[in-house]
Amino acid sequence: MNFSAALCRTAHPPIPAARAWAARYRGGAGPALDLTQAVPGYPPPPELLARLAEAAGSTACAGYGPIDGDAPLRAALAADMAGFYGADIAPADVAITAGCNLAFAMTMAVLSAPGEAVMLPTPWYFNHQMALTMRGVRPVPLPCRAEAGFVPDPAEAAALMDASPVRALVLVTPNNPTGAVYPPEVIAEFSRICRARGVALVLDETYRDFLTEAQSPPHALFADPSWRDGLVHLYSFSKAYCVPGHRLGAVAAGPAFRTELAKALDTWQICPARPAQAALAWAVPALSGWRAGNRAVMAERATLFRAGIAQMPGWRLDAIGTYFAYLRLPEGAPDAEAAAAWLAAEQGLMTLPGPFFGPGQQRHLRLAFANAGAEVLAEVPARLRQAALAWGR
């Protein structure tokens, strides 16, 4: 058979590749520790599970629903966003999608065509780059640097845009893979330069529910009455409600964008899964206190991880946030891919190497600490210490 040239140029899924290295692990350091994927490290509350089960068994949820999602969930999310951002956001602004990855892919289909370009800060979320590459859209890297806390520079983005036009700029904050949280003034400046050049700003805030009160609201873009003209906002229910297997995300955007998005919604998803929509329409307002408790859990895990790495001479924590830590390898260590393979095979510690997240990342590892309890996080320094000894540090 002949295959799509664009798909053949797309990288293979990184997480299975990283986990395959651990197949050689013989257990000498203790139980394997999987810090590759951002999965909630605790279950959904029993009340949500009960409602999911009830909705899955109902005839009402067995039929097709609206292509842009059921009205109760759209209304619940719009109200939640309006309260969180202190802005005018209506159900008509919201479409529910079959996961946030699909929300991104459909958004890119609306905004870009094969042969065009979209700017992604690097290190980037690998599925964003993959979604562009498989459609023949060129990702334009916007380098982010450790000395700037991996926060991208709007002036550098503007210069790159002026030199080579792009259709959209994508920001992920809190960031995957670094965990960096972009300051409100930086987000505002990106919005300004995008508007001045007719470039769409796509803001992925999958992890916004884990921002501390001091970081909220994370920006004031929705306070601008004209936000619908240039902003596309992406959201995921997976992490906040511990339901990644139910695949629900959302897009918030203006009517012109939504008109074109409807074509992608009808073609690629027909409608999002309805049982989870029914359960989450209840959960969004009802579990606000539970979500606040989870923010505290994530903050505690970040503190534990930071303290553990502080014990490790040579290892440097260049960024840490709501779900992820971006760890610089010590001098004398091999480059990231070889280091990650060694850690998985010899120490049972599964991480993702920086090159999975784009160019220029050969000296970093990403660790998803959010899915690990205190007992697992306590094991990490010893595994890293053994690695450094093996590498002659």
Side-chain angles (χ1 to χ4, degrees):
M1 290 184 287
N2 294 316
F3 302 109
S4 158
L7 197 63
C8 289
R9 287 193 296 270
T10 304
H12 292 284
I15 290 176
R19 288 174 174 168
W21 295 324
R24 304 194 301 272
Y25 179 56
R26 296 294 174 258
L33 310 178
D34 189 348
L35 302 186
T36 59
Q37 191 169 27
V39 293
Y42 40 80
E47 301 92 336
L48 178 54
L49 290 173
R51 287 174 182 268
L52 285 165
E54 180 182 3
S58 72
T59 56
C61 291
Y64 287 126
I67 63 172
D68 56 357
D70 290 351
L73 182 55
R74 292 173 60 203
L77 180 59
D80 184 70
M81 292 179 66
F84 182 77
Y85 296 102
D88 174 27
I89 302 171
D93 298 318
V94 174
I96 305 301
T97 63
C100 196
N101 267 17
L102 186 58
F104 178 83
M106 292 188 292
T107 293
M108 292 299 105
V110 174
L111 296 175
S112 62
E116 295 179 330
V118 169
M119 185 174 291
L120 301 179
T122 54
W124 54 43
Y125 173 44
F126 48 72
N127 282 151
H128 285 175
Q129 184 265 347
M130 292 166 71
L132 294 175
T133 302
M134 68 177 58
R135 289 190 57 251
V137 176
R138 180 170 58 93
V140 175
L142 172 60
C144 301
R145 299 170 180 86
E147 57 268 25
F150 288 100
V151 174
D153 181 357
E156 187 172 2
L160 288 171
M161 288 179 190
D162 293 342
S164 180
V166 298
R167 298 288 296 172
L169 166 70
V170 180
L171 299 180
V172 181
T173 178
N175 186 254
N176 179 2
T178 66
V181 177
Y182 300 168
E185 61 273 16
V186 170
I187 298 173
E189 182 61 10
F190 272 113
S191 178
R192 188 193 67 77
I193 66 170
C194 285
R195 281 178 175 268
R197 291 161 177 78
V199 172
L201 175 59
V202 178
L203 186 60
D204 183 332
E205 292 190 281
T206 290
Y207 299 94
R208 59 100 165 162
D209 293 280
F210 300 98
L211 292 167
T212 65
E213 289 185 7
Q215 296 167 318
S216 300
H219 57 80
L221 299 189
F222 289 115
D224 184 343
S226 65
W227 72 263
R228 296 171 180 85
D229 297 335
L231 175 65
V232 180
H233 183 269
L234 307 182
Y235 178 71
S236 172
F237 296 93
S238 294
K239 309 303 188 296
Y241 300 93
C242 302
V243 289
H246 288 280
R247 308 309 307 139
L248 283 184
V251 178
F257 179 92
R258 288 280 315 282
T259 296
E260 300 305 315
L261 178 66
K263 303 170 186 177
L265 292 169
D266 189 48
T267 302
W268 287 352
Q269 71 177 24
I270 301 181
C271 69
R274 300 195 68 204
Q277 289 189 78
L280 285 168
W282 165 83
V284 170
L287 296 182
S288 59
W290 181 79
R291 283 187 289 162
N294 292 340
R295 284 196 292 275
V297 169
M298 290 300 104
E300 181 182 4
R301 290 181 181 182
T303 298
L304 289 172
F305 190 88
R306 187 183 289 107
I309 299 304
Q311 305 170 23
M312 307 299 302
W315 294 87
R316 193 172 83 197
L317 193 57
D318 277 345
I320 187 169
T322 58
Y323 247 72
F324 305 109
Y326 210 54
L327 190 61
R328 180 180 288 274
L329 288 156
E331 295 295 328
D335 277 349
E337 192 160 349
W342 192 94
L343 280 166
E346 301 298 329
Q347 289 294 313
L349 177 60
M350 287 169 269
T351 67
L352 293 185
F356 285 7
F357 302 98
Q361 308 302 310
Q362 292 85 357
R363 301 305 299 168
H364 284 91
L365 302 175
R366 190 200 79 173
L367 291 85
F369 63 81
N371 65 350
E375 68 286 351
V376 171
L377 295 178
E379 291 288 324
V380 172
R383 312 278 178 112
L384 296 178
R385 186 177 296 109
Q386 288 302 312
L389 289 173
W391 298 330
R393 173 73 176 104

